[in-house]
């Protein structure tokens, strides 16, 4: 233990050192000023030699010794004063003898060599020797002033002894520095050798973990692993993983490691082992594929797609084969595609043939079609899942500088497995088109399968793409059927012209049949195409009716009957997309009815009506209504003569003739005879009321009246309708 550590602290003062660090100056009972930072003693100064100043400007404290000055900041003036008093008291109360012993102990007590450089140690001892000389001089001066010559002599002897001891020790250190010049380099060389050995050991461990995995213990026997057993497949998979990882790590290995001959030789053996293992796996899987295909060709029954379950245990090996040998993997895929594509082509062709036979029966068209398409979809989805999992088609493939996406690989593989599927389904669709609504049924079913009930594609299945292509063909077939119906409308008009009465055109009746069947077909499905077809059919029908003419039926009758039937059909459909066309059909029916009634009914009291037209012109010219009767042309006698021309029985006879004429024009299938007769009754009543009002206004009190009153007219019309 050092002597300074046994001293007690007299005063502590907190100061701030360089860099703003908080430190502590302590005055010890041994007459030493010590500097602490926390609990660590940094430095010390003997107060009887060093000069302590606490009266510096800027609130600083400094200590000077041997030409060195150290300063601290202490803003507390009281702390500075207390430190100064404690330093003075410690200096005056400490004897010279104890001071010398303390300093000598601090200088001489350094038995162990802490520095690695002997030259620096000698330099340090020289500095301490100079300080010891200063202590000796101070001691002599103190002895001369305080204790006399005897004490001075004793101090000189003690100083001489200590100086001799210090000189001897310095000499030993110089000899050690001269003799041990090569000791440190030797130790350094030994350390480097040890570090190199450790680094070599770590490098060898890394290389061993990289190139000598447990699964690669016996490289030469890897091709002999029995792949028919689960244990053999597990060993082969582990070995394949180890080979792939080791050879992949070669890309990122340091160049210096790759220059090692042993590493290069091991990598060469690993590459050869990888090739041999890949060849063994490819050979075994190729034989398994051919064997299962032969069994499938000769088997008459059994579970469908049994080879999927048989090949499932080999899926990990097939995926690793792609990483070990891309060419072998491609060859294996080609073998599978070429073998099973023929089987699938025969299977789908047989299913389509059975469906065509069922379509020839008087069953619903969508039943066999739905069965075939469901079977095809199930087959394709199962095959896509198997190929994706077994042949690792879900991983992007790099071929030279090009990169084939997994979606493209799956699509290419499925197209090669089912090369004739789309054409077979299109042929079945052509057979379905023989039914008038076959294309629509096919489109409705395909739309539900491809897009689902929500109108969006369910997933990225290849079967959805095939069914989508067939759905497009079905839509085109339905459009062709619609175009044929539109083109047949003029022919229907020509056929109607050959009949005695025009009646309802055939395409109007067909529209009702088509709408009913389409509503059943597309119930709960997408209506976009159906509404488009409806609009096209109704627009075409309205245009055909508008342009139709019949040699024996007035054009107004043709229009009112067909527009009335069309309006009834559209009202029964209740399709929002057809609402504008429904209102237009109703308007055209009303216009045709009004024109026909006006032209056919005419004016039963024609001369009376003409007479009052002249009266109306006279009134319009400025004559008063009650004065018109005084004119010769519009006198009472003239009006009475005209009214006598239309006795009641003659009016009834003319109404009978009018009813028979209307009955000849209107058809029974339209059922509008009573409707038209009611409209003519209303027209007659309107004319009768107008004439009676004019007679009352122009000939008041003359006792003139029309031959029939309102009750007679209603009775006449009812009797005529009842008689016929």
């Amino acid at each position: 233990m050092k002597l300074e550590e046994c001293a007690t602290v007299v005063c502590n003062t907190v100061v701030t050192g360089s860099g703003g660090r908080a430190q502590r100056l302590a005055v010890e009972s041994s007459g030493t000023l010590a500097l602490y930072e926390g609990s660590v003693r940094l430095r010390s100064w003997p107060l009887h030699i060093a000069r302590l100043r606490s009266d510096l400007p800027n609130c600083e404290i400094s200590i000077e010794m041997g030409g060195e000055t150290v300063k601290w900041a202490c803003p507390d003036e009281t702390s500075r004063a207390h430190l100064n008093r404690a330093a003075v008291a410690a200096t005056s109360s400490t004897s010279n003898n104890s001071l010398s012993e303390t300093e000598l102990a601090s200088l001489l007590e350094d038995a162990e060599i802490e520095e690695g450089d002997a030259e620096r140690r000698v330099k340090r001892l020289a500095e301490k020797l100079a300080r010891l000389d200063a202590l000796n001089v101070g001691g002599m001066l103190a002895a001369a002033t305080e204790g006399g010559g005897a004490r001075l002599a004793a101090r000189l002897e003690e100083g001489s002894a200590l100086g001799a001891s210090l000189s001897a020790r310095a000499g030993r250190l110089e000899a050690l520095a001269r003799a041990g010049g090569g000791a440190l380099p030797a130790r350094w060389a030994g350390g480097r050798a040890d570090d190199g050995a450790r680094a070599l050991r770590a490098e060898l461990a890394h290389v061993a973990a990289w190139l000598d995995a447990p699964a690669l213990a016996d490289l030469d026997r890897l091709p002999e692993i029995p792949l028919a057993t689960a244990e053999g497949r597990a060993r082969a998979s582990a070995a394949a993983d180890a080979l792939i990882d080791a050879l992949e790590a070669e890309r990122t290995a340091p160049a210096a490691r790759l220059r090692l001959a042993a590493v290069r030789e091991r990598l060469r053996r690993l590459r050869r082992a990888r090739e041999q293992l890949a060849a063994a796996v490819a050979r075994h899987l190729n034989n398994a594929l051919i064997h299962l295909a032969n069994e499938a060709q000769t088997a008459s029954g059994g579970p469908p797609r049994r080879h999927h379950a048989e090949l499932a245990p080999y899926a990990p090996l097939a995926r690793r084969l792609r990483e070990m040998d891309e060419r072998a993997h491609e060859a294996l895929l080609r073998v599978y595609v070429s073998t099973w594509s023929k089987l699938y082509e025969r299977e789908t062709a047989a299913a389509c043939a059975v469906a065509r036979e069922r379509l020839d029966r008087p069953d619903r068209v969508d039943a066999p079609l739905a069965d075939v398409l469901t079977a095809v979809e199930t087959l394709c989805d199962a095959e896509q899942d198997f190929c994706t999992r077994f042949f690792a088609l879900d991983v992007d493939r790099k071929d030279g500088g090009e990169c084939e996406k997994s979606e493209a690989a799956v699509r290419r593989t499925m197209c090669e497995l089912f090369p004739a599927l789309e054409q077979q389904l299109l042929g079945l669709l052509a057979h379905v088109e023989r039914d008038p609504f076959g294309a629509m049924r096919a489109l409705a079913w395909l739309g539900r399968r491809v897009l689902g009930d929500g109108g969006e594609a369910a997933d990225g299945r290849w079967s959805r793409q095939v069914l989508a292509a067939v759905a497009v063909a079905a839509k085109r077939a339905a459009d062709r059927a619609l175009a044929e119906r539109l083109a047949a409308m003029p022919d229907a008009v020509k056929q109607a012209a050959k009949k005695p009465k025009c009646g309802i055109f055939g395409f109007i009746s067909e529209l009702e049949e088509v709408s009913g069947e389409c509503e059943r077909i597309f119930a709960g499905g997408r209506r976009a195409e159906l509404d488009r077809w409806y609009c096209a059919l109704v627009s075409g029908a309205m245009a055909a009716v508008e342009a139709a003419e019949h040699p024996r039926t007035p054009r107004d009758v043709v229009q009112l009957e067909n527009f009335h039937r069309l309006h009834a059909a559209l009202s029964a459909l209740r399709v929002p997309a057809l609402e504008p066309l429904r209102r237009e059909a109703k308007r055209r029916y009303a216009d045709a009815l009004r024109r026909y009634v006006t032209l056919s009914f005419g004016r039963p009291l024609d001369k009376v009506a003409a007479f009052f037209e002249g009266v109306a012109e006279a009134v319009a010219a400025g004559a008063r209504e009650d004065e018109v009767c005084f004119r010769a042309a519009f006198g009472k006698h003239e009006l009475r003569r005209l009214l006598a021309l239309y006795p009641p029985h003659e009016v009834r006879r003319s109404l009978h003739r009018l009813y028979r004429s209307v009955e000849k024009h209107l058809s029974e299938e339209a059922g509008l005879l009573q409707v038209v007769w009611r409209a003519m009754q209303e027209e007659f009543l309107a004319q009768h009321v107008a004439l009676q009002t004019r007679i009352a206004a122009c000939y008041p009190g003359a006792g003139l009246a029309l031959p029939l009153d309102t009750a007679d007219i209603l009775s006449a019309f009812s009797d005529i309708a009842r008689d016929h």
Side-chain angles (χ1 to χ4, degrees), residues 513-525:
E513 179 185 357
V514 168
S515 62
E517 188 66 25
C518 288
E519 289 298 321
R520 287 190 293 271
I521 293 173
F522 290 90

Side-chain angles (χ1 to χ4, degrees), residues 263-340:
V263 172
R264 292 199 301 271
E265 176 62 20
R266 184 65 176 178
L267 289 174
R268 184 187 65 80
R269 292 192 61 196
L270 291 179
R271 282 190 285 269
R272 186 179 63 183
R274 181 185 62 181
E275 294 173 358
Q276 293 175 350
L277 180 60
V281 171
R283 183 169 57 254
H284 185 86
L285 293 179
N286 184 76
N287 295 336
L289 292 178
I290 295 176
H291 175 69
L292 292 173
N294 293 334
E295 285 187 349
Q297 290 177 357
T298 57
S300 59
R305 289 169 295 283
R306 185 174 64 88
H307 67 286
H308 290 177
E310 295 286 342
L311 294 174
Y314 297 97
L317 284 177
R319 295 179 71 92
R320 288 168 176 82
L321 178 62
R322 181 174 184 176
E323 300 181 32
M324 291 190 296
D325 192 344
E326 184 74 25
R327 293 184 178 179
H329 181 271
E330 287 294 327
L332 186 67
L333 180 58
R334 287 195 298 270
V335 170
Y336 180 82
V337 168
S338 61
T339 303
W340 290 95

Side-chain angles (χ1 to χ4, degrees), residues 202-378:
E203 181 69 16
L204 291 177
H206 186 81
V207 171
W210 169 30
L211 299 177
D212 196 16
L216 304 178
D218 194 356
L219 291 179
D220 296 333
R221 297 181 63 86
L222 288 181
E224 302 175 2
I225 296 177
L227 300 179
T229 63
E231 181 182 359
R233 290 191 293 270
R235 287 178 53 197
S237 298
D241 289 337
L243 286 171
I244 292 170
D245 294 341
L247 294 176
E248 284 291 333
E250 181 183 1
R251 300 178 181 178
T252 58
R257 188 180 300 168
L258 296 177
R259 286 197 295 268
L260 296 176
V263 172
R264 292 199 301 271
E265 176 62 20
R266 184 65 176 178
L267 289 174
R268 184 187 65 80
R269 292 192 61 196
L270 291 179
R271 282 190 285 269
R272 186 179 63 183
R274 181 185 62 181
E275 294 173 358
Q276 293 175 350
L277 180 60
V281 171
R283 183 169 57 254
H284 185 86
L285 293 179
N286 184 76
N287 295 336
L289 292 178
I290 295 176
H291 175 69
L292 292 173
N294 293 334
E295 285 187 349
Q297 290 177 357
T298 57
S300 59
R305 289 169 295 283
R306 185 174 64 88
H307 67 286
H308 290 177
E310 295 286 342
L311 294 174
Y314 297 97
L317 284 177
R319 295 179 71 92
R320 288 168 176 82
L321 178 62
R322 181 174 184 176
E323 300 181 32
M324 291 190 296
D325 192 344
E326 184 74 25
R327 293 184 178 179
H329 181 271
E330 287 294 327
L332 186 67
L333 180 58
R334 287 195 298 270
V335 170
Y336 180 82
V337 168
S338 61
T339 303
W340 290 95
S341 61
K342 300 175 183 177
L343 295 175
Y344 288 145
E345 184 174 356
R346 288 198 295 269
E347 183 176 348
T348 54
C352 291
V354 172
R356 281 193 291 269
E357 293 179 0
R358 292 180 57 187
L359 289 172
D360 293 335
R361 303 172 187 172
D363 299 333
R364 291 184 60 85
V365 174
D366 49 352
L369 180 63
D371 294 342
V372 170
L373 295 179
T374 301
V376 167
E377 184 180 11
T378 304

Side-chain angles (χ1 to χ4, degrees), residues 322 393-398 402-412:
R322 181 174 184 176
L393 298 180
D394 53 346
V395 180
D396 295 343
R397 174 179 175 270
K398 293 184 178 179
E402 299 180 357
C403 179
E404 183 181 19
K405 294 296 182 180
S406 58
E407 296 82 359
V410 171
R411 185 166 55 254
R412 176 176 56 83

